[in-house]
Amino acid sequence: MNSVAAIAHPNIALIKYWGKRDEVLHLPMTTSLSLTLREFPTTTKVTVRPDSTTDRVTFAGAPAPAAFAAPVSRFLELVRGRTGDRRYAVVDTVNTVPTGAGLASSAAGFAALALAAATAYGLDLDRAALSRLARRGSGSAARSVFGGFAVWWRGVGAGAAGDLSSFAEPIDAPLLDPALVVALVDTREKAVSSREAMRRTMATSPFYPPWVAESARDLDRMRAALREGDLATVGEIAEANALGMHATMLGARPAVRYFAPGTLRVLDLVLELRAAGVGAWATMDAGPNVKVLCDSRDSAVVAAAVAEVAGGAERIVVTTAGPGAVLSDSGER
Ligand code: PMV
């Protein structure tokens, strides 16, 4: 029996991935850029079982619902297809991210699964190849392979050429020490999945093509700001890029709206903080929760203010840059 465990963390995009140009290969329309978090680790253990006639997927030890188990099993098929090893596996995932709340639980989950499964089935992958594999589970997982800031290239061309050229890489930003204050406005499962919301936006929103064009400019400007250690510019671009993404969704027919009343309270607060001279910028994903980017030195001040409007200290999480996916010694080989 070959048992391997891996740990990965969610990432929050500062330049968003929104829209696929290939739904099977998970090739994105745009290049995105993210920060991997220190909080909310996912640990995934893959045990290859010569005696099993099917994959068995558990969630913190209990049988996982089909909506969780089926994509995991499809992912293992992909790995098995590359090795020729037909043995099935037991996969156990322990997730500390509130699932389905726009906090990228799938990113941490598939980054950990990619590393654990590749290792358990004996695939020897470099980090770029691991990122490409994680991408096949969930697009944003390509970025959680790396710690700190990472850029996930949209890639060029279709099919195999697109697959080969679409992976994430780390970005050095030695002058920055960022923090994110996550406001947990609502952690219930979202009504519209990001997959469906992306599809509908691309198919029906007149605001989608201009956002895609602007995103390429956002990327160039943000990479320069990261190099220069200019957090204010990074934050301004991140906020504009995220609100622009939500604008594309509001323009879809029917509209996809993830804003909740609590979302607007946090967005208002961010404007007030900036007016008062505190560097704080908001970003949001496919859910109502707001992540507020600031310098680590300001995180206590920002966290106290966000907690007040979000309904108390238990509704916020303060996090900083975290590590990439790593093997954990809780597996036995
Ligand atoms: O990887 P998915 O399908 O969960 O897509 C997530 C997309 C956003 O979180 C909204 C943006 C991003 O770049 O992470």
Side-chain angles (χ1 to χ4, degrees):
M1 227 159 51
N2 192 11
S3 185
V4 178
I7 303 177
H9 292 76
N11 68 77
I12 296 299
L14 302 178
I15 293 182
K16 302 296 183 186
Y17 150 50
W18 195 247
K20 296 177 181 70
R21 59 198 182 86
D22 183 320
E23 291 219 355
V24 174
L25 293 175
H26 290 174
L27 298 178
M29 287 291 289
T30 55
T31 296
S32 54
L33 193 157
S34 61
L35 180 67
T36 298
L37 308 184
R38 189 168 293 285
E39 301 293 318
F40 304 131
T42 292
T43 305
T44 295
K45 184 157 143 183
V46 175
T47 307
V48 179
R49 304 281 305 239
D51 52 339
S52 280
T53 52
T54 175
D55 290 320
R56 215 147 49 74
V57 182
T58 58
F59 205 53
F68 183 88
V72 168
S73 195
R74 277 199 300 274
F75 188 84
L76 291 178
E77 265 311 301
L78 186 69
V79 173
R80 285 192 285 260
R82 291 188 189 180
T83 59
D85 186 340
R86 298 308 313 158
R87 291 175 300 165
Y88 292 100
V90 177
V91 177
D92 187 52
T93 293
V94 178
N95 204 347
T96 59
V97 194
T99 305
L103 280 174
S105 55
S106 62
F110 277 106
L113 178 63
L115 179 55
T119 311
Y121 281 96
L123 273 183
D124 187 16
L125 303 178
D126 63 22
R127 294 303 270 190
L130 184 65
S131 172
R132 288 170 45 225
L133 177 63
R135 191 198 77 222
R136 296 292 300 273
S138 166
S140 52
R143 301 183 309 233
S144 274
V145 166
F146 300 100
F149 292 102
V151 59
W152 167 28
W153 305 108
R154 82 185 282 283
V156 284
D163 179 35
L164 208 60
S165 53
S166 183
F167 54 85
E169 284 178 327
I171 298 185
D172 268 350
L175 301 174
L176 290 180
D177 182 15
L180 276 174
V181 177
V182 182
L184 300 169
V185 168
D186 188 342
T187 55
R188 282 173 301 188
E189 198 80 25
K190 58 197 164 210
V192 186
S193 71
S194 56
R195 173 192 299 258
E196 163 59 21
M198 282 183 198
R199 239 184 232 154
R200 199 189 299 170
T201 304
M202 283 182 69
T204 67
S205 177
F207 309 140
Y208 184 69
W211 178 79
V212 168
E214 198 59 34
S215 182
R217 286 186 282 272
D218 287 346
L219 178 73
D220 289 343
R221 291 175 52 226
M222 191 177 288
R223 290 177 72 203
L226 287 172
R227 258 193 316 272
E228 290 156 12
D230 178 356
L231 189 67
T233 300
V234 171
E236 273 162 30
I237 298 167
E239 188 172 299
N241 185 273
L243 293 178
M245 175 183 79
H246 284 275
T248 69
M249 293 183 226
L250 291 172
R253 296 175 189 207
V256 180
R257 178 178 59 86
Y258 289 118
F259 287 71
T263 309
L264 294 176
R265 283 195 286 275
V266 181
L267 293 178
D268 277 350
L269 170 74
V270 166
L271 291 180
E272 284 164 26
L273 284 170
R274 287 213 293 274
V278 179
W281 299 272
T283 185
M284 290 170 62
D285 293 287
N289 300 316
V290 184
K291 296 95 182 185
V292 182
L293 176 70
C294 60
D295 191 288
S296 280
R297 279 171 310 200
D298 296 331
S299 67
V301 169
V302 172
V306 175
E308 204 166 306
V309 297
E314 67 283 359
R315 308 297 301 168
I316 64 161
V317 177
V318 183
T319 180
T320 51
V326 288
L327 291 172
S328 139
D329 49 19
S330 61
E332 315 95 43
R333 305 199 48 206

